[in-house]
Amino acid sequence: MNSTEQCRECERLRALLEEARRAGDVSRAVDCRVLLRRHPAHDGVPVAAAGPDA
């Protein structure tokens, strides 16, 4: 994967995280953040969860 391509799994998890936040589903939002943190690193850099409370 080159640096201009987005990881589809990261995109999917970020979309689910945003959906959970909008719905006020704290439990699901936490699950999404955990999955983002456990997702493999890209180019040696860990994938960070989006958002200030991530």
Side-chain angles (χ1 to χ4, degrees), residues 2-40:
N2 67 39
S3 60
T4 60
E5 292 177 358
Q6 292 292 322
C7 171
R8 287 186 182 150
E9 183 64 5
C10 289
E11 289 177 5
R12 184 184 77 80
L13 289 170
R14 286 187 183 114
L16 289 173
L17 174 57
E18 185 57 33
E19 181 181 304
R21 285 181 177 160
R22 282 193 305 262
D25 189 340
V26 177
S27 178
R28 190 168 56 142
V30 169
D31 291 345
C32 291
R33 285 193 297 271
V34 168
L35 291 171
L36 274 165
R37 287 188 179 126
R38 288 183 179 176
H39 189 63

